[in-house]
Amino acid sequence: MSTVPLASGGASGVPGFEPTHVVPPGGLATWTAPDGAVPTAPLDPLLPVRLVERRGDWGQVLCSNGWAAWTDARLLVVLPQGPPAAGGPLVRTDDARGLLTRVQETLGRYRQAMEDLAAGRTDAEAFGQAVRGLRVGAVVDGDAVWLYDAERDVWCYCDGTAMAALAAPAGPGGDR
């Protein structure tokens, strides 16, 4: 974890902390400034963080305990954002059922490849080939669902009646 305080709260936490990203599974190196000169402690894998500033490919992240550091923002995993303006109607884009079907089919392909590997019907190399390129994302929270549309590279929010695209990941050097 970084040792650069950004906000009051220190180890007791940042009131109202809302993460925007997650550190990738391998963790991330950090620095005290967006110059790569003074490294600090790495960020833990899958740690929720809030991207608070962006300078080119550099991003300053805030952790829930109040500590902050600079890292390669291109490597952060974007979290789906909250639903569109609370209380306002969603602008219908697509019927969520089609996207739910694609999510289910992709997950089924992964599960079948995993079952084949576990049963010894295939090896690790064949498993890797079978799942290469599969991407799926779904968060279900009561009557709300966030679905990742891999074909359009965008997160969508659905309230059960309408679906709206919310957040598209930016490419390297772009704002998130």
Side-chain angles (χ1 to χ4, degrees):
M1 191 75 65
S2 167
T3 58
V4 182
L6 176 72
S8 62
S12 64
V14 175
F17 177 81
E18 292 287 335
T20 59
H21 295 75
V22 175
V23 174
L28 278 179
T30 64
W31 292 267
T32 58
D35 57 14
V38 181
T40 61
L43 295 170
D44 293 332
L46 304 177
L47 178 72
V49 297
R50 178 163 193 77
L51 183 61
V52 294
E53 185 177 346
R54 184 83 190 237
R55 292 186 193 169
D57 293 338
W58 289 97
Q60 185 181 40
V61 294
L62 172 65
C63 303
S64 64
N65 68 359
W67 297 107
W70 289 90
T71 193
D72 185 344
R74 298 171 301 169
L75 302 176
L76 294 170
V77 179
V78 178
L79 289 174
Q81 300 303 304
L90 284 179
V91 176
R92 183 175 297 280
T93 55
D94 294 315
D95 187 327
R97 290 175 288 187
L99 183 51
L100 280 168
T101 298
R102 289 197 308 271
V103 168
Q104 185 177 12
E105 289 168 353
T106 301
L107 199 52
R109 288 177 47 203
Y110 185 90
R111 182 180 179 94
Q112 184 60 54
M114 184 183 72
E115 293 288 345
D116 290 345
L117 181 63
R121 292 186 294 267
T122 189
D123 60 16
E125 184 177 336
F127 171 77
Q129 290 174 352
V131 299
R132 184 170 292 123
L134 293 182
R135 294 194 77 188
V136 66
V139 177
V140 178
D141 186 14
D143 63 350
V145 65
W146 288 262
L147 300 172
Y148 177 69
D149 185 344
E151 290 178 1
R152 297 186 300 166
D153 194 24
V154 65
W155 279 94
C156 298
Y157 170 79
C158 179
D159 66 0
T161 61
M163 184 171 75
L166 291 183
D175 290 83
R176 290 185 194 227

